[in-house]
Amino acid sequence: MIAYYMCFGLFFVGLYGVITRRNLVKIAISLSIMEISTFLFFALIGYIDNGVAPIVNPADPDKIYVDPLPQTLVLTAIVIGLATTALLMAVIIRLYRKYKTFDIREINELRG
Amino acid sequence: MKGMTIIVKKTAQLIAGMIFMYGIYVIVHGHLTPGGGFAGGVIMAGSLILVILSHGTDFFSLVKEEMGTTIVESAATICVILIATAGFLFGTKVFFNNFLPKGNVGDLVSAGVLPLYNIFVGIEVAASVFIIFLSLIIFKEESPK
Amino acid sequence: MEVAISIITGLMILGALFAIHAKDLLSAVIACGIVGYGLVICFLLLKAPDLAIVQIVVDTITLIMMVAVVLDSSREESFSRLDTFGKIAAATGLIIIVVLFYFFIIASSNLDVLGKSSLRMANAYIHGAAQKTGSANLVTGVVFDFRGYDTMGEAVVLVTAVLGVLTILRLKGKK
């Protein structure tokens, strides 16, 4: 059970970063940390003791396989995570070129 | 964008082709070994990024490359949807129907349409990641410091 | 197995804390890499080689993009004391964390112990999926056959994200 709690702790670290930091790059890093904790949780709930990776050997079919369904869900989520991080980075670099700062408080004050 | 030193350039020339071939291998064997369209596509994009980072290019060839890559990406996405729609024509009339013969489990040519999906999704993912990288580089070249 | 996973997750938490508190943005970005590469080792221990291959390349490319953004800037983060709005935000965040932790405690009584997954859903996928789809790799079989809609949605989301990036980063219009 302790692995689940550690995984949840990683999620909390990301949430803490999103709430308390004022730097846009730090916020992007915290978001990706939260994403990674979710991937780890999905991989954890599919694991089986003494199981093998879900690749069937036709000569020896009676093995215990790890659950393939959570792995499938994570596989698509990882690539989407890359795309959303890229979108976030594009917004951040555009904001930096306009306001010359990463600080969201100063960007709020320099509005217009 | 400037390139790096000659040592980095020669190493990149030696390695990039092999990385690209490994990406193709991962895609084609996606239904037999770990890997598949997503993994192989990202590996192929990584080899292209390695070449651009080490050698450096000028602005106009970057723009030309970006236009070509955009077309490749859209075409691959359309191909995925077309293969999915082709399931309506054969056998059970459902979307994403596996209409080709299955073959033996473990052969290279088996599993019906799954290798085709793997190939087109791999091309799409590679093109997408490469476009994102190219547009970042073009933006940094284009904008005044 | 559980001990190994917990130790690696603890190291990932340390890396995440350093990434959030680092003074230099470049070291923060590189410390974020600790979390990603730790996840690769976790995937290998949890018998998920597909995910490990994808994650190790995706993490490298994410690192390249973040470094490309950070290297232009002054790279300094200015720490200052929290103002009133910041205090309110921190208090709200604390309340959210406590509520989430309460729900997690309730939900974790219904989770299977690690390593004893009951495979409620996946039995149909594991037994006979290789014959139904003809694919030896069960993950590929599930991605493109049983859950094809999911994959098509992913492809469309990827195209949309690329269009968004191209729209945001375009300075001059095309002729």
Side-chain angles (χ1 to χ4, degrees):
Chain A
M1 257 353 231
I2 184 102
Y4 291 132
Y5 285 97
M6 296 296 266
C7 187
F8 208 59
L10 192 60
F11 185 83
F12 278 156
V13 171
L15 194 60
Y16 159 77
V18 170
I19 289 169
T20 58
R21 294 298 109 174
R22 292 288 173 268
N23 191 312
L24 280 170
V25 177
K26 290 282 182 71
I27 291 176
I29 290 174
S30 309
L31 277 176
S32 83
I33 288 170
M34 285 166 77
E35 219 173 59
I36 280 175
S37 78
T38 319
F39 299 157
L40 181 58
F41 183 73
F42 267 80
L44 280 174
I45 59 176
Y47 180 69
I48 294 178
D49 280 335
N50 303 319
V52 295
I55 291 159
V56 174
N57 184 3
D60 183 15
D62 291 326
K63 277 183 184 163
I64 306 172
Y65 295 110
V66 175
D67 193 348
L69 183 56
Q71 298 191 12
T72 307
L73 298 179
V74 174
L75 186 63
T76 51
I78 287 176
V79 182
I80 292 181
L82 173 66
T84 50
T85 308
L87 197 58
L88 209 55
M89 282 297 144
V91 173
I92 287 173
I93 195 170
R94 207 57 210 259
L95 279 176
Y96 186 83
R97 286 291 157 85
K98 189 159 165 58
Y99 294 110
K100 301 291 174 204
T101 178
F102 281 138
D103 198 324
I104 52 174
R105 283 170 305 185
E106 289 181 33
I107 292 175
N108 255 337
E109 285 161 11
L110 295 173
R111 185 185 299 124
Chain B
M1 182 184 167
K2 272 171 60 185
M4 297 184 186
T5 59
I6 185 140
I7 301 173
V8 182
K9 277 184 187 172
K10 284 294 169 194
T11 317
Q13 282 173 11
L14 284 176
I15 292 178
M18 273 189 273
I19 299 177
F20 198 83
M21 287 301 290
Y22 178 64
I24 293 175
Y25 168 82
V26 167
I27 289 177
V28 172
H29 289 248
H31 56 293
L32 303 177
T33 53
F38 298 104
V42 184
I43 291 172
M44 280 162 66
S47 81
L48 296 174
I49 287 175
L50 171 69
V51 171
I52 293 234
L53 275 184
S54 64
H55 282 252
T57 44
D58 57 333
F59 176 71
F60 292 103
S61 59
L62 278 176
V63 173
K64 220 185 330 180
E65 202 152 343
E66 188 195 18
M67 287 174 64
T69 321
T70 317
I71 294 170
V72 169
E73 188 213 7
S74 316
T77 314
I78 289 174
C79 281
V80 170
I81 297 176
L82 277 184
I83 297 174
T85 318
F88 281 117
L89 302 178
F90 308 97
T92 327
K93 306 277 193 290
V94 287
F95 205 47
F96 276 100
N97 184 22
N98 194 346
F99 54 86
L100 291 177
K102 308 286 194 305
N104 293 323
V105 177
D107 287 354
L108 182 57
V109 180
S110 67
V113 292
L114 294 195
L116 291 177
Y117 282 133
N118 260 333
I119 289 169
F120 286 121
V121 168
I123 293 173
E124 193 232 333
V125 170
S128 304
V129 176
F130 192 50
I131 288 174
I132 290 171
F133 176 76
L134 277 180
S135 55
L136 262 179
I137 294 286
I138 289 176
F139 179 78
K140 289 179 77 162
E141 290 278 302
E142 201 175 26
S143 61
K145 293 287 177 198
Chain C
M1 176 56 70
E2 182 149 16
V3 178
I5 297 281
S6 304
I7 290 172
I8 295 171
T9 318
L11 289 177
M12 284 160 69
I13 289 177
L14 283 183
L17 280 174
F18 182 76
I20 289 175
H21 284 127
K23 283 235 171 29
D24 190 356
L25 282 181
L26 190 60
S27 59
V29 167
I30 291 172
C32 182
I34 297 175
V35 186
Y37 293 123
L39 183 66
V40 175
I41 302 174
C42 283
F43 281 156
L44 281 179
L45 288 176
L46 291 170
K47 306 286 165 54
D50 303 81
L51 302 183
I53 294 175
V54 177
Q55 174 67 29
I56 196 167
V57 191
V58 162
D59 202 74
T60 310
I61 293 176
T62 311
L63 212 60
I64 290 175
M65 286 192 309
M66 284 190 173
V67 168
V69 169
V70 164
L71 272 187
D72 283 11
S73 65
S74 56
R75 285 166 47 184
E76 291 281 322
E77 194 194 6
S78 56
F79 285 97
S80 57
R81 300 191 58 232
L82 288 174
D83 51 352
T84 321
F85 181 74
K87 278 175 187 160
I88 294 173
T92 318
L94 200 67
I95 293 172
I96 291 174
I97 285 177
V98 168
V99 170
L100 276 179
F101 193 67
Y102 175 68
F103 281 116
F104 176 71
I105 299 260
I106 292 178
S108 66
S109 64
N110 284 326
L111 278 175
D112 297 319
V113 183
L114 179 63
K116 304 262 189 307
S117 174
S118 55
L119 296 177
R120 280 183 295 267
M121 188 65 198
N123 264 329
Y125 287 145
I126 290 179
H127 299 294
Q131 275 71 40
K132 270 183 209 156
T133 64
S135 157
N137 188 350
L138 289 181
V139 175
T140 302
V142 175
V143 161
F144 290 113
D145 201 307
F146 295 112
R147 298 208 162 229
Y149 282 107
D150 204 352
T151 311
M152 197 188 73
E154 187 271 345
V156 173
V157 167
L158 206 54
V159 173
T160 315
V162 168
L163 286 181
V165 171
L166 285 178
T167 313
I168 290 170
L169 291 183
R170 179 60 35 84
L171 287 179
K172 297 164 194 154
K174 259 181 200 157
K175 296 260 164 59

